[in-house]
Amino acid sequence: MPNRRQVLTLGAAIVAFDALGVGWVTQAQADTGAAGLPVPRLDGDLVTDAAALAEAADDYGQIAHRRPRAVLRPGSVSDVVKVVRLAAEHRIPVAVRGQGHSTFGQAQAPGGVVIDSRTLATVHRVSARGVVVDAGATWLEVTKAALAAGFTPPVATDYLGLSVGGTLSVGGIGGATSRHGLLVDTVRELEVVTGEGKLVRCSPTVERDLFEAVLGGLGQYAVIVRATLDLVPAPTTARIYHLSYPDLRSMTAAQRIALADGRFDYLEGQVVWSGTGWSYLLEGGVYHSAKTPDDKAVVRGLPTAAKTETTSLPYFEWLNRVYAVVEQLRPLKFPNPWLNLFLPDRATDSYIEGLLAKLTPADTGGGPILLYPFTRKRLTRPMVSVPDSSVVFILSILRAVAPPDEAVVRTLLVNNRSAYDKALAVGGTQYPIGSIPGQPGDWQRHYGTAYGRVRRLKNRFDPRGILAPEQGIF
């Protein structure tokens, strides 16, 4: 934001925008005659108190800390429209922060305004036709409301504490992606506020260009304020299969077979330190409401596992299995320099073997390593860039640095960059929720031949370039 554009405050609540001033204007200064352009009347609050600014300059990664000038806590969609419109007029950066689960400052807006979407979190309607929900609601809230009516979202992220808007901005992946695609593939309709401050309803048949730009668009084109999401009938029970393999290729072979024949409703996998080396765990789930699956039939035809464990638990308990752990870790503020990559099937085994040959448990800080496949044909939203491969694997190294150590964080960021460069060399892309230091040309390579269209959409829907600046795309 240009240095000479500031905001006039009355206590913590902002009442005017000073386009010519050189700093914050206190109430005492206002009483002596300082003035500015009035901020529109809001249903919520536009605040500048230290606590609000510090929270908006923070995220789950605990690596990037960039303070905004103000935080909007909207009381209505109209508040978002008014503030984005004002920001566009004066070229003030704007970013949306839901639950703050980004890891590298992606939802920060240095010198600008951060919209705290948590105050827009209503689940409006649940029916067989879907659920209408505000962007600030968490998937935990959506799932509970849906289950109460006998339904469930088709895809769930492993951690249900994420906001709907934040997840839809990046894509949203989970164990059911193998069957239903990404979370953005389950969206029927959106209400968004463009970078010009226009409230628009969009869908696959109405304002389709905007609809497709926003889903997986990393916040670049519009602010999601409401979404209509698909629902499916909810099962009551999750039957979970853990198949342990001593080598990587046996596990990925089993995953490919299970992906191809669709035997699991949920399909993931983990790389686990056994004490002397890495071991590999296929994690599959079969959801049901009546007859328990035939365990022998479920695993038939897969490479023989060294160990198989099978358990059943209530469906919601399964979906919400990691929530408590994440909530316990969040207040500890450990740095989390995550690495999240999409890899083409043809290169996955050799890439992972090379990576693990140099990786130690200390390089993850005890964080999990996830590795699992999905089919590219399930993905329908063009802004989510994945490798040109019929089968794609996601690799997530959810690093944690405990206790916090800046030198270790710097080393892991360098390692993340190196791993990303090697992934690019074999046709991989990043799932842009992690912590990868950027370099010139990264986003052109990320979007490939679609980058020209990405730029045109940015100029069309956010011509002042104010939205989500810290993604660094433009």
Side-chain angles (χ1 to χ4, degrees):
M1 184 174 76
N3 291 335
R4 296 182 63 81
R5 294 184 177 129
Q6 310 293 339
V7 177
L8 175 68
T9 65
L10 177 61
I14 298 171
V15 296
F17 174 75
D18 180 8
L20 300 177
V22 295
W24 295 104
V25 181
T26 65
Q27 178 60 58
Q29 291 169 325
D31 290 342
T32 63
L37 304 174
V39 168
R41 184 180 298 277
L42 301 173
D43 298 312
D45 296 302
L46 191 61
V47 299
T48 62
D49 60 278
L53 298 184
E55 183 183 40
D58 203 0
D59 63 18
Y60 192 75
Q62 297 294 317
I63 300 169
H65 304 278
R66 307 179 186 98
R67 289 170 68 92
R69 296 292 179 111
V71 174
L72 172 66
R73 293 172 179 154
S76 63
V77 169
S78 176
D79 285 356
V80 179
V81 172
K82 293 174 182 177
V83 170
V84 171
R85 191 172 293 165
L86 180 68
E89 181 181 354
H90 298 284
R91 296 186 183 274
I92 303 171
V94 174
V96 181
R97 184 183 192 275
Q99 294 297 314
H101 208 74
S102 57
T103 65
F104 208 41
Q106 290 96 330
Q108 295 172 12
V113 177
V114 168
I115 299 172
D116 184 347
S117 69
R118 292 175 298 181
T119 56
L120 290 181
T122 301
V123 179
H124 293 276
R125 295 187 299 278
V126 178
S127 71
R129 294 190 298 274
V131 57
V132 180
V133 58
D134 289 343
T138 66
W139 289 102
L140 179 61
E141 294 164 331
V142 173
T143 301
K144 285 182 175 180
L147 287 174
F151 300 101
T152 183
V155 184
T157 54
D158 288 345
Y159 169 58
L160 296 183
L162 304 176
S163 70
V164 170
T167 308
L168 298 184
S169 293
V170 297
I173 192 166
T177 292
S178 58
R179 185 175 289 272
H180 297 286
L182 300 174
L183 279 158
V184 290
D185 297 302
T186 71
V187 181
R188 294 187 177 186
E189 184 178 275
L190 293 172
E191 289 182 39
V192 304
V193 178
T194 69
E196 296 177 288
K198 297 178 180 178
L199 179 63
V200 182
R201 186 179 299 239
C202 54
S203 71
T205 57
V206 177
E207 298 285 352
R208 180 175 178 175
D209 283 352
L210 180 58
F211 181 74
E212 292 186 339
V214 170
L215 292 172
L218 306 179
Q220 292 299 311
Y221 312 98
V223 175
I224 299 173
V225 292
R226 190 165 296 168
T228 302
L229 310 169
D230 284 338
L231 294 176
V232 296
T236 61
T237 306
R239 184 75 168 163
I240 306 302
Y241 299 82
H242 286 153
L243 282 64
S244 298
Y245 291 97
D247 62 277
L248 171 72
R249 291 180 184 250
S250 293
M251 183 192 74
T252 56
Q255 288 180 322
R256 292 182 182 98
I257 293 170
L259 177 67
D261 63 27
R263 68 182 68 197
F264 292 121
D265 297 303
Y266 163 98
L267 177 62
E268 290 197 8
Q270 298 181 34
V271 181
V272 182
W273 183 254
S274 64
T276 57
W278 298 107
S279 60
Y280 307 88
L281 182 70
L282 182 152
E283 189 173 57
V286 177
Y287 301 150
H288 63 97
S289 297
K291 185 179 179 180
T292 301
D294 181 339
D295 294 338
K296 291 182 179 180
V298 170
V299 301
R300 185 176 297 132
L302 299 179
T304 302
K307 182 180 180 181
T308 300
E309 295 181 342
T310 309
T311 58
S312 289
L313 63 164
Y315 175 70
F316 175 73
E317 184 178 327
W318 165 249
L319 292 187
N320 203 36
R321 63 197 178 280
V322 304
Y323 184 87
V325 174
V326 176
E327 292 302 299
Q328 290 168 6
L329 290 173
R330 184 189 289 271
L332 301 179
K333 294 186 178 296
F334 294 143
N336 291 270
W338 287 3
L339 176 68
N340 303 85
L341 302 172
F342 290 130
L343 301 169
D345 186 23
R346 62 185 178 276
T348 294
D349 290 344
S350 57
Y351 178 90
I352 299 297
E353 287 172 341
L355 186 67
L356 293 179
K358 300 179 180 179
L359 197 69
T360 70
D363 296 324
T364 70
I369 302 175
L370 306 180
L371 179 66
Y372 58 93
F374 57 92
T375 54
R376 195 171 188 266
K377 67 180 181 181
R378 299 284 186 190
L379 277 56
T380 62
R381 308 304 181 206
M383 282 299 170
V384 181
S385 182
V386 299
D388 185 11
S389 174
S390 59
V391 172
V392 177
F393 278 79
I394 183 169
L395 168 68
S396 296
I397 304 180
L398 307 184
R399 307 182 191 270
V401 180
D405 186 316
E406 290 187 11
V408 172
V409 171
R410 288 194 296 270
T411 297
L412 293 179
L413 290 176
V414 171
N415 292 347
N416 282 355
R417 181 69 220 191
S418 176
Y420 177 49
D421 288 337
K422 292 175 181 176
L424 288 174
V426 298
T429 63
Q430 65 163 312
Y431 182 38
I433 65 170
S435 305
I436 300 174
Q439 293 181 2
D442 278 348
W443 289 106
Q444 289 92 326
R445 287 188 291 271
H446 179 79
Y447 287 110
T449 57
Y451 187 69
R453 180 172 181 268
V454 167
R455 290 194 66 92
R456 291 191 294 273
L457 289 168
K458 182 69 169 178
N459 292 334
R460 178 179 171 187
F461 296 118
D462 181 24
R464 298 292 183 97
I466 65 169
L467 296 179
E470 291 309 289
Q471 293 282 4
I473 297 173
F474 303 102

